[in-house]
Amino acid sequence: MYVPLPYLETRRSVLLAAIAARSFGTLITALDGEIMISHLPFAVAGEAGAETLIAHLARSNPQWRAIAAGATALASFLLDDAYISPGWYPSKAETGRVVPTWNYVAVEARGPMALVETGPELLALVDKLTGRHESGREHPWSISDAPAEFTAALLNGIVGVCMTIEALTGAWKLDQKKRPEDRDGAARGLGAEGASLASLMRAGRAPAGDEAAA
């Protein structure tokens, strides 16, 4: 992912928190010139400093076979984005030398991937995924709520995937290269339209976290 320096975010804790908050991402693999893409819900698992991304693919999806064959992989997450009108910049009235742009927050994770196919390990992976997405609900659903034989049959139709996160890159493109008054004008414009990116525009960077680079 190309990220100009003013927009680059490398703090591992910030990037992992962003992935955990968004969850839904794109798994991209490349093998022998063939690129495959799947849109998947992910969860962050593992101990601090040795985190992994877990998800699962349908067994009918050939991407898992590419992973088994050693495909290189990355997972991409678009957290938020919005069109920025030049009409929001005070510079428009002063000089007219402004154009539209698109601001966004995105994270890319890279690392080796492994498959999870055995019954107990696959069940544990799906249980972690479900627990992540059911957390916070008043009555969270659990895999144990379904009949065991029903769950076992469904597990036969999927393959778990696990990425060891070796590198993380974040892009927080929030008009940092603009004058403060133009950035504020864009934030007000987004806020008036109810865009969630407005709060990050006002901050101008990712929330504070540790300074450890991925």
Side-chain angles (χ1 to χ4, degrees), residues 35-56:
I35 297 174
M36 295 183 178
I37 296 175
S38 295
H39 304 286
L40 305 169
F42 289 85
V44 178
E47 299 179 357
E51 294 88 355
T52 61
L53 282 177
I54 58 172
H56 65 77

Side-chain angles (χ1 to χ4, degrees), residues 89-135:
Y89 296 141
S91 292
K92 176 182 180 296
E94 298 169 8
T95 68
R97 299 174 66 85
V98 290
V99 294
T101 192
W102 206 284
N103 284 350
Y104 61 91
V105 177
V107 179
E108 177 185 285
R110 291 177 179 263
M113 296 204 70
L115 300 178
V116 181
E117 297 187 74
T118 62
E121 292 181 355
L122 184 56
L123 180 63
L125 181 147
V126 174
D127 190 47
K128 287 180 181 178
L129 280 168
T130 303
R132 159 65 184 87
H133 300 297
E134 288 286 331
S135 64

Side-chain angles (χ1 to χ4, degrees), residues 4-191:
L5 191 58
Y7 311 139
L8 181 64
E9 176 59 67
T10 60
R11 291 172 295 168
R12 189 176 181 90
S13 63
V14 169
L15 300 176
L16 289 171
I19 291 174
R22 178 66 181 102
S23 297
F24 196 76
T26 303
L27 177 64
I28 304 167
T29 58
L31 180 68
D32 298 331
E34 183 177 10
I35 297 174
M36 295 183 178
I37 296 175
S38 295
H39 304 286
L40 305 169
F42 289 85
V44 178
E47 299 179 357
E51 294 88 355
T52 61
L53 282 177
I54 58 172
H56 65 77
L57 296 166
R59 191 167 284 276
S60 58
N61 183 340
Q63 192 172 26
W64 74 267
R65 298 186 185 277
I67 293 170
T72 57
L74 67 86
S76 178
F77 300 85
L78 179 62
L79 282 73
D80 206 347
D81 69 290
Y83 172 77
I84 306 298
S85 169
W88 292 336
Y89 296 141
S91 292
K92 176 182 180 296
E94 298 169 8
T95 68
R97 299 174 66 85
V98 290
V99 294
T101 192
W102 206 284
N103 284 350
Y104 61 91
V105 177
V107 179
E108 177 185 285
R110 291 177 179 263
M113 296 204 70
L115 300 178
V116 181
E117 297 187 74
T118 62
E121 292 181 355
L122 184 56
L123 180 63
L125 181 147
V126 174
D127 190 47
K128 287 180 181 178
L129 280 168
T130 303
R132 159 65 184 87
H133 300 297
E134 288 286 331
S135 64
R137 297 182 183 276
E138 184 177 359
H139 302 291
W141 182 87
S142 170
I143 289 179
S144 60
D145 292 343
E149 66 277 9
F150 172 77
T151 301
L154 292 178
L155 289 177
N156 288 331
I158 65 172
V159 177
V161 293
C162 178
M163 174 188 285
T164 300
I165 303 175
E166 290 188 343
L168 286 167
T169 304
W172 261 250
K173 183 179 180 295
L174 302 168
D175 272 1
Q176 292 96 325
K177 294 167 70 174
K178 299 290 186 182
R179 300 187 313 175
E181 51 267 39
D182 284 341
R183 189 167 60 246
D184 291 343
R188 286 194 299 272
L190 287 175

